[in-house]
Amino acid sequence: MMNHLKGLNQIDSANHFSPFLPLLLFAVLFLYNCSSTEPFSGYSYDPPDVTDTEDKEIIYQKKRIIGIGEPKIWISNEFNGARVSDAWLAPGSSQDTVIIEVEPENAPINNSPWYAFQIWSDQEQKILIRLSYENGRHRYVPKIGESADYMSWKLLSDSIFTSIGGDLLFSIQIGIQKQWIAAHPVQANSLESLLNYPDYSGFASKITVDTVGYSHNNRAILQWQSQGNLGSEKEGLLILFSRQHPPEVSGYRSFLYFFSRLMDTDELAQTFRSNFRIIAYPMLNPDGVEQGHWRHNSSGIDLNRDWEYFRQPETRSVRDALSPLADGRYRVVYGIDFHSTNENVFYPINESVITGIDNFTQRWFPFVAEANPKLNFRKEEFEPNSPIAKNWIYKTFGTDALTFEVEDELNEEEMQNLGHSAAESLMKLLLNELENTEN
Ligand SMILES: [Zn+2]
């Protein structure tokens, strides 16, 4: 494609008329059209062959406590979620430097090095930690916690961070008290992380929880469904997905706040739920979450590239639960798949593609941005040609759908405000839409 354009420019700069120009233009346009319908092979940030979703080998974390140096420094990964592969003392350094190596479940892989460890020492001391990544480079700012209680975590803000190649070096005071250092606050168990989430008790009685299938390692794929008979001839349905990618905690937390706002007791939420049913899959990759994977499930596959061939049990479970709803009894009005990346981004379906409620994402976007003035938001449209969850929703139900990317490092208050406000504006817009179609 680039070569053809270059060829055209050369003809222009030569400043003489070529009888082949119309033919060339036609060829360029033809090639351009072909390229837009070419089979999808991966986004710019994907490793090669990401759409080959046949099972691959993975490496499980070896769980252990590693003791190094004198007085002893102890490093543990004996908990679920996030990774540490090995730790050793850097030879010849003036101050004790502990190298902590973090390996992904398999490679090549998207750069989402998700680490977490507990550290303590027989004696109070200040050490340097060097986070060293196999098949990746540093991404997530270290957080520190004194317990697994999610809300007690804070940024390791009084440390000076130095990047060395793709590694991160920082100092830390350690002693007999165990501390957690992690890319994101550790939530040891995927199910517990749902149940311990502060708002869960508020909506637990308002949802039906079903297991629609099991992961590769036999963990439940949960479905949450809002209750009640909507009484309309054709029920409106909102579909929500979360946590296909294990380290994407901010997207997951924002989803939880989003969901709890939909389940609220105020008039807006009640009216919404009496007009639209909500079906959510809060934890699509429980193996990856509990085993501390950077990206994949237990078959070493990026689940969000498997929504065409459904070779993985996690995606198949959701497909089999949702597909029967395309039989005409329901009207799926919208779908959202929550993720995290280094910025807040909406990835809508191209405006030129006609969807059930057309360009809903494009109309919703400004309300979300306006309600979160301290955050930056970007929007980038895509053709619905890749094997990702959003496109499967569109292809199955003809409805608009969104990949909602939340910035990796949002704090809890920002995630809460984002989730709540986004749910509010979405409810208002969808109710408006309903009124317009009924009038
Ligand atoms: Zn993701």
Side-chain angles (χ1 to χ4, degrees), residues 58-287:
I58 67 159
I59 303 166
Y60 288 87
Q61 265 188 102
K62 195 170 158 193
K63 301 285 183 172
R64 59 196 164 139
I65 297 170
I66 303 167
I68 46 179
E70 203 53 58
K72 276 267 179 300
I73 298 162
W74 302 97
I75 314 273
S76 168
N77 65 350
E78 292 193 315
F79 51 86
N80 290 333
R83 291 198 150 215
V84 153
S85 317
D86 206 351
W88 63 89
L89 215 52
S93 46
S94 56
Q95 189 180 7
D96 275 351
T97 303
V98 176
I99 296 179
I100 293 187
E101 192 182 47
V102 188
E103 275 180 346
E105 59 277 17
N106 62 339
I109 192 164
N110 178 279
N111 189 54
S112 310
W114 194 28
Y115 60 89
F117 54 90
Q118 280 186 302
I119 188 165
W120 67 100
S121 170
D122 290 348
Q123 193 180 300
E124 194 78 19
Q125 56 179 314
K126 194 169 190 176
I127 59 161
L128 286 169
I129 289 177
R130 180 170 177 161
L131 289 173
S132 181
Y133 307 98
E134 279 280 308
N135 293 298
R137 53 192 190 283
H138 181 70
R139 170 166 169 182
Y140 303 117
V141 182
K143 326 282 183 300
I144 186 161
E146 275 163 17
S147 73
D149 169 21
Y150 192 95
M151 306 308 272
S152 72
W153 287 70
K154 53 182 193 281
L155 282 171
L156 235 183
S157 54
D158 49 355
S159 286
I160 296 164
F161 300 113
T162 315
S163 300
I164 309 169
D167 294 359
L168 184 82
L169 189 72
F170 61 95
S171 65
I172 180 175
Q173 190 73 29
I174 55 170
I176 51 168
Q177 178 82 33
K178 286 181 184 174
Q179 300 179 91
W180 305 69
I181 307 286
H184 303 295
V186 170
Q187 294 183 298
N189 176 298
S190 64
L191 257 185
E192 268 172 30
S193 83
L194 292 173
L195 305 179
N196 292 341
Y197 154 68
D199 289 1
Y200 186 81
S201 55
F203 62 72
S205 63
K206 290 183 225 139
I207 57 171
T208 307
V209 180
D210 291 302
T211 297
V212 295
Y214 292 90
S215 67
H216 190 85
N217 286 353
N218 229 22
R219 294 186 175 93
I221 306 296
L222 292 183
Q223 174 184 274
W224 291 352
Q225 193 174 163
S226 59
Q227 290 166 350
N229 189 343
L230 274 57
S232 56
E233 215 169 274
K234 207 167 181 177
E235 283 193 5
L237 204 66
L238 172 67
I239 298 172
L240 306 172
F241 291 161
S242 174
R243 211 76 189 266
Q244 294 199 74
H245 296 147
E248 298 181 4
V249 175
S250 66
Y252 169 67
R253 299 289 295 175
S254 301
F255 153 77
L256 289 171
Y257 286 119
F258 183 91
F259 188 84
S260 80
R261 184 65 187 90
L262 298 178
M263 291 294 143
D264 225 334
T265 49
D266 66 331
E267 203 192 328
L268 173 65
Q270 289 202 31
T271 309
F272 183 78
R273 291 199 306 277
S274 60
N275 285 284
F276 299 97
R277 185 180 298 278
I278 304 143
I279 297 186
Y281 300 89
M283 179 67 67
L284 278 170
N285 187 358
D287 291 352

Side-chain angles (χ1 to χ4, degrees), residues 338-376:
F338 287 82
H339 289 257
S340 304
T341 190
N342 57 355
E343 53 181 346
N344 300 299
V345 199
F346 273 38
Y347 289 131
I349 290 173
N350 244 343
E351 215 170 321
S352 60
V353 177
I354 309 290
T355 56
I357 299 177
D358 202 24
N359 300 328
F360 184 79
T361 304
Q362 285 84 347
R363 283 185 281 142
W364 180 36
F365 178 78
F367 292 100
V368 178
E370 194 186 29
N372 298 273
K374 285 184 189 154
L375 307 183
N376 292 317

Side-chain angles (χ1 to χ4, degrees), residues 217-437:
N217 286 353
N218 229 22
R219 294 186 175 93
I221 306 296
L222 292 183
Q223 174 184 274
W224 291 352
Q225 193 174 163
S226 59
Q227 290 166 350
N229 189 343
L230 274 57
S232 56
E233 215 169 274
K234 207 167 181 177
E235 283 193 5
L237 204 66
L238 172 67
I239 298 172
L240 306 172
F241 291 161
S242 174
R243 211 76 189 266
Q244 294 199 74
H245 296 147
E248 298 181 4
V249 175
S250 66
Y252 169 67
R253 299 289 295 175
S254 301
F255 153 77
L256 289 171
Y257 286 119
F258 183 91
F259 188 84
S260 80
R261 184 65 187 90
L262 298 178
M263 291 294 143
D264 225 334
T265 49
D266 66 331
E267 203 192 328
L268 173 65
Q270 289 202 31
T271 309
F272 183 78
R273 291 199 306 277
S274 60
N275 285 284
F276 299 97
R277 185 180 298 278
I278 304 143
I279 297 186
Y281 300 89
M283 179 67 67
L284 278 170
N285 187 358
D287 291 352
V289 168
E290 290 201 25
Q291 290 158 200
H293 293 186
W294 290 17
R295 182 81 166 184
H296 300 153
N297 70 344
S298 280
S299 303
I301 297 303
D302 183 341
L303 291 176
N304 205 26
R305 302 292 180 271
D306 189 43
W307 292 86
E308 187 166 342
Y309 295 111
F310 295 94
R311 293 177 178 127
Q312 298 304 320
E314 295 87 353
T315 44
R316 268 202 307 274
S317 305
V318 174
R319 177 199 63 184
D320 293 348
L322 283 177
S323 296
L325 309 185
D327 66 356
R329 282 175 298 157
Y330 298 87
R331 189 169 77 104
V332 177
V333 287
Y334 196 48
I336 311 172
D337 181 21
F338 287 82
H339 289 257
S340 304
T341 190
N342 57 355
E343 53 181 346
N344 300 299
V345 199
F346 273 38
Y347 289 131
I349 290 173
N350 244 343
E351 215 170 321
S352 60
V353 177
I354 309 290
T355 56
I357 299 177
D358 202 24
N359 300 328
F360 184 79
T361 304
Q362 285 84 347
R363 283 185 281 142
W364 180 36
F365 178 78
F367 292 100
V368 178
E370 194 186 29
N372 298 273
K374 285 184 189 154
L375 307 183
N376 292 317
F377 290 88
R378 194 167 70 77
K379 177 161 63 68
E380 188 182 349
E381 298 182 351
F382 280 96
E383 284 291 317
N385 65 336
S386 60
I388 64 174
K390 166 189 79 176
N391 294 336
W392 179 79
I393 293 175
Y394 160 69
K395 284 174 198 160
T396 309
F397 303 103
T399 190
D400 198 7
L402 165 71
T403 307
F404 191 151
E405 297 273 2
V406 178
E407 191 194 311
D408 288 329
E409 304 293 352
L410 289 196
N411 65 40
E412 199 62 26
E413 198 187 326
E414 290 167 331
M415 292 186 253
Q416 183 175 36
N417 190 53
L418 176 59
H420 284 176
S421 63
E424 253 166 58
S425 50
L426 176 119
M427 289 191 283
K428 286 176 189 163
L429 267 185
L430 279 176
L431 284 168
N432 259 345
E433 197 64 41
L434 189 69
E435 214 168 274
N436 291 342
T437 51

